[in-house]
Amino acid sequence: MDDSRRNKYGQSSDEIPEPPPPTRQYFEPQQPAPFPPLPPAMGYPPAMGYPPGYRNGYDQQRYQQGPPPSPEMYYAPPHCPRQDPGPPSSFAILTTMILFVFFTFIFGLVIMFLIARPKFPIFHVETLAVTNFSVANDDFASAWEINLVVENRNFGANVHFDRIQSFIYFNTDDLLASSHFDQPTKDVTVKANEKGTIDIKLSTADYKQSVPAPGKRVMEEMRNIRETGVVPFSLRAFAWSQIETGLFYTETKHIQSRIICEDLKVHFEGDTGNGKLNGKSKDCVVDL
């Protein structure tokens, strides 16, 4: 046999045995090793529980969690029992009566103060009409009709005028005519917080019995001013009046006053002797 077909152990290829077939090996999966426990979190220490068998003084059976509440319990309005306040106490009744008497007394004082101290009315000339105004040589003639408005400013007090004596002046000093002293006025009563009207009529037809005729200087001055178309007059009057006051009874106060209305400028219509008050009404001054 040829030596070339022998191996290093001196065996020929025919003498070498066949190797056994490979066998399959199965490995059982191994469970991974558990992770080590995590260290406690930094910050607060872990909560310490009560030792076994310790009772904290509360009956745990009372605080066992029951079944969850029904949805109706969340939406149902709370039921508040209505309590009867009962009758008011005697102290509350006494306090209410004292307050009522106090405020009634204060209100009465205010009313009595307003009534016991009445104010005299306000006067102003609403209209003034002049007719038949004529200045010729030594003869003078004219007539005046005045509408005097009275405003009563009192609360709960009426004003009644018994009579008024009126005087008409040229400018402010020269008397032209006046009414009779005993001339009664019509029943003029102005109620509280209302207005009234007093009609005054004067004429030179009666001046000879009451005042002397104007002098030549006054006649000449009126003639010159009349040519300008505007003549100033003044009204002065004495009023005898009664103010009736009182809330539960009537108390009458008699008052005599002087009314002064100046700078009443009358515009005449051309060459006629008729004229009217220029502009708005004029306020008067009252001197008690």
Side-chain angles (χ1 to χ4, degrees), residues 81-93:
R82 185 175 181 179
Q83 298 180 356
D84 187 7
S89 62
S90 58
F91 176 77
I93 297 176

Side-chain angles (χ1 to χ4, degrees), residues 38-46:
L38 296 176
M42 299 299 293
Y44 297 100

Side-chain angles (χ1 to χ4, degrees), residues 99-120:
L99 292 177
F100 175 77
V101 173
F102 174 76
F103 286 109
T104 303
F105 177 73
I106 296 299
F107 179 76
L109 286 181
V110 173
I111 297 299
M112 293 301 296
F113 177 79
L114 295 176
I115 295 178
R117 300 189 61 181
K119 300 178 181 179
F120 200 74

Side-chain angles (χ1 to χ4, degrees), residues 101-268:
V101 173
F102 174 76
F103 286 109
T104 303
F105 177 73
I106 296 299
F107 179 76
L109 286 181
V110 173
I111 297 299
M112 293 301 296
F113 177 79
L114 295 176
I115 295 178
R117 300 189 61 181
K119 300 178 181 179
F120 200 74
I122 297 177
F123 297 84
H124 61 268
V125 176
E126 187 71 20
T127 61
L128 169 58
V130 180
T131 57
N132 301 325
F133 185 84
S134 175
V135 181
N137 297 328
D138 296 337
D139 188 16
F140 171 68
S142 182
W144 297 266
E145 293 184 4
I146 303 171
N147 197 348
L148 189 64
V149 175
V150 185
E151 182 179 352
N152 188 1
R153 302 175 297 167
N154 294 296
F155 174 79
N158 301 331
V159 179
H160 175 76
F161 292 91
D162 296 328
R163 58 182 179 178
I164 294 179
Q165 186 179 15
S166 306
F167 303 88
I168 194 73
Y169 290 82
F170 169 68
N171 285 330
T172 57
D173 300 326
D174 302 317
L175 182 60
L176 300 179
S178 69
S179 63
H180 296 291
F181 178 78
D182 56 351
Q183 177 184 1
T185 60
K186 65 179 182 179
D187 186 13
V188 178
T189 301
V190 184
K191 296 183 179 180
N193 296 323
E194 293 185 3
K195 295 181 180 181
T197 303
I198 299 177
D199 296 328
I200 300 175
K201 294 182 180 182
L202 300 172
S203 176
T204 56
D206 300 326
Y207 78 89
K208 294 180 181 181
Q209 301 177 3
S210 56
V211 295
K216 292 183 179 181
R217 180 190 59 83
V218 178
M219 299 278 286
E220 185 65 24
E221 187 176 357
M222 283 194 298
R223 186 183 299 109
N224 295 333
I225 294 180
R226 169 63 184 84
E227 293 177 357
T228 62
V230 180
V231 179
F233 297 99
S234 296
L235 172 68
R236 297 178 186 177
F238 289 97
W240 287 262
S241 58
Q242 301 176 13
I243 299 181
E244 300 175 353
T245 62
L247 184 61
F248 302 104
Y249 64 93
T250 302
E251 180 181 359
T252 303
K253 294 184 178 181
H254 298 271
I255 299 177
Q256 181 179 356
S257 59
R258 185 174 63 169
I259 306 167
I260 303 173
C261 311
E262 297 181 346
D263 197 24
L264 304 176
K265 296 181 179 180
V266 176
H267 282 236
F268 287 89

